[in-house]
Amino acid sequence: MEDLGFDSLMLQELEVNIGRRAPGFRAEELFTPGLTIGRLIALAGGDDAVTPDPAPVHSAPAPLEESFPLAGPPRWGADTASVDAFPEVTRFEERLEEVTRGAGSPYFRVHEGTVSDTTVIGGRPYLSFGSYNYLGISGHPAVNEAVHEAVDRYGTSVSASRVLSGERDLTVRLERALAGFLGVEDCLTLVSGHATNVTAIGHLVGPGDLVVHDALAHDSILQGCALSGAARRPFAHNDTGRLEQMLRLNRSRFRRVLIAVEGAYSMDGDLVDLPAVIELKKRYGALLMVDEAHSIGTVGERGRGVGEFYGVDRSDVDLWMGTLSKAFAGCGGYLGGSARMVRWLRHTLPGFVYSVGMTPPNAAAALAATELIVAEPDRVRALRRNSELFLGLAASAGLATGSSAGTPIVPCLLGDSARTLRVARGLFDRGVVADPIFHPAVEEGLSRLRFFITSAHREEDIRRAVALLAEEVAAAGT
Ligand SMILES: Cc1ncc(COP(=O)(O)O)c(C=O)c1O
């Protein structure tokens, strides 16, 4: 499976399809690394056990009179006629019960104010490492004031697609500010970061094309691939050798090849090797998209992302994508690049043209945030100092931080989900919020607590949090 480049989503799809053809197929072993095709056939009960697919999903519909016989039992299962009856709903409920049994759910906790270095839950103050308010700008008085003014002037919605009656000067100014910040010719903003990836990838490539992406790619990139109809192949995380091999073997078999990488990886907290990826993009005539959701505002001397960090020529990346929900204290996504490309997207990108424009408060927040990051460069420096301090202390305490480096994301790898949950609960009881991450967000056996560091954290709070974490990890056993 590793040789074929299967990731967990592809394995889940395989599980469903084999289960349909070989009833009783036990899927657990499908997810073990090193599984071979021979072993898979044996697991399915050998060649004999595999029956022809009884109901090809995409076959042509049966003639009307056959589909709806006037008499006899219905030809569909009850579990297909109501969402409540879907087998995956039952499976989900069993998993949820496992995670939330005992001391209460770590999900959907209600925060009672702005979350930055601290938060309040249930009337109790906590030290927070759970928000990506990296630069402490959400809740900043200047941003709040800009939002109030925007609402007073424009209301809370632009009430139309921007192409039609939804254009406002706030969004135009925001796009100019972002283009300047990134050092690109132009920039387009959309209402959601996730939807930005989905619609952009769905628009740029299609059947006959290929997307090669880092194995740790965010869900929005995978959804964009699915929408596009392009083939996709993941390459092992940050392994540019595997990427090169994939491009060498596949480039000439496809019309367009899009390489999709992230500036900073949100589960592992490491950076892409952008110069190496750019060299491969050029060598193999591929398109390159860099998702800077977690690197914009946080990486590089002035927070301008991995482009600044590596000092690359901005035109070497076709699409600089990012979100406004993290360092920029708002909500939305952006796509930056050449003026010609952005003009084309502005008039044709489905998720932009057929969707409402960003709300005035969000545009105002992101614009004020961009101006603050430029005016107060010390925020980015404080973030870097805090991130290095946290990582250094965690390493000294013998905690497993994986490949985290150069970003404000530090995971503490704990193995199985039960242990991860114990540590998360222990910390929460002692006043520290850090979110547990389980399969399928990360590989089975690589559950972790993830710490988002912010520029607002105080040195003593970071020291206290790492000390408490080390105690809880030791207490949770292996
Ligand atoms: C790499 C990456 N891309 C895209 C997104 C989606 O952004 P948003 O949450 O702003 O919709 C996220 C969200 O965390 C992300 O981590």
Side-chain angles (χ1 to χ4, degrees), residues 28-51:
E28 298 83 14
E29 216 183 300
L30 193 58
F31 296 91
T32 50
L35 177 72
T36 62
I37 291 176
R39 178 71 189 136
L40 181 61
I41 291 171
L43 280 176
D47 286 325
D48 295 345
V50 180
T51 57

Side-chain angles (χ1 to χ4, degrees), residues 347-409:
H347 288 270
T348 61
L349 188 66
F352 176 79
V353 173
Y354 300 103
S355 186
V356 71
M358 185 181 290
T359 67
N362 268 315
L367 177 59
T370 312
E371 290 167 354
L372 258 179
I373 298 171
V374 172
E376 299 180 1
D378 210 37
R379 287 176 186 276
V380 182
R381 286 197 277 272
L383 178 63
R384 189 162 46 246
R385 255 195 326 272
N386 284 348
S387 306
E388 284 168 3
L389 176 66
F390 192 108
L391 187 65
L393 290 171
S396 310
L399 298 166
T401 54
S403 51
S404 170
T407 76
I409 304 162

Side-chain angles (χ1 to χ4, degrees), residues 261-263 272 274 288-292 306 317 319-322:
V261 293
E262 293 173 28
V272 65
L274 191 56
L288 176 58
M289 172 174 186
V290 181
D291 176 339
E292 291 228 82
V306 282
V317 171
L319 223 59
W320 292 97
M321 180 271 168

Side-chain angles (χ1 to χ4, degrees), residues 432-457:
V432 178
V433 175
D435 291 317
I437 315 277
F438 312 119
H439 179 76
V442 292
E443 258 178 66
E444 199 73 85
L446 290 180
S447 293
R448 63 198 63 189
L449 275 191
R450 180 176 56 179
F451 292 80
F452 288 126
I453 321 300
T454 74
S455 59
H457 281 109

Side-chain angles (χ1 to χ4, degrees), residues 139-158:
H140 188 285
V143 175
N144 289 357
E145 196 184 317
V147 168
H148 286 134
E149 278 174 18
V151 172
D152 288 346
R153 176 155 181 204
Y154 298 106
T156 50
S157 172
V158 298

Side-chain angles (χ1 to χ4, degrees), residues 79-152:
D79 65 356
T80 64
S82 147
V83 178
D84 284 5
F86 283 2
E88 57 265 43
V89 172
T90 309
R91 282 202 300 276
F92 151 77
E93 282 175 346
E94 287 163 3
R95 268 205 324 273
L96 187 66
E97 157 67 18
E98 238 173 71
V99 173
T100 56
R101 198 181 300 135
S105 170
Y107 303 132
F108 297 104
R109 284 188 184 123
V110 177
H111 294 250
E112 289 154 24
T114 305
V115 186
S116 179
D117 55 330
T118 58
T119 186
V120 174
I121 301 169
R124 178 183 170 191
Y126 288 83
L127 199 50
S128 170
F129 292 91
S131 92
Y132 33 61
N133 188 6
Y134 288 124
L135 298 174
I137 289 179
S138 172
H140 188 285
V143 175
N144 289 357
E145 196 184 317
V147 168
H148 286 134
E149 278 174 18
V151 172
D152 288 346

Side-chain angles (χ1 to χ4, degrees), residues 132 192-194 197 218 220 262 266 291 293-294 323 325-326 332:
Y132 33 61
S192 144
H194 190 284
N197 273 341
H218 188 259
S220 50
E262 293 173 28
S266 62
D291 176 339
H294 292 272
T323 64
S325 58
K326 298 171 173 74

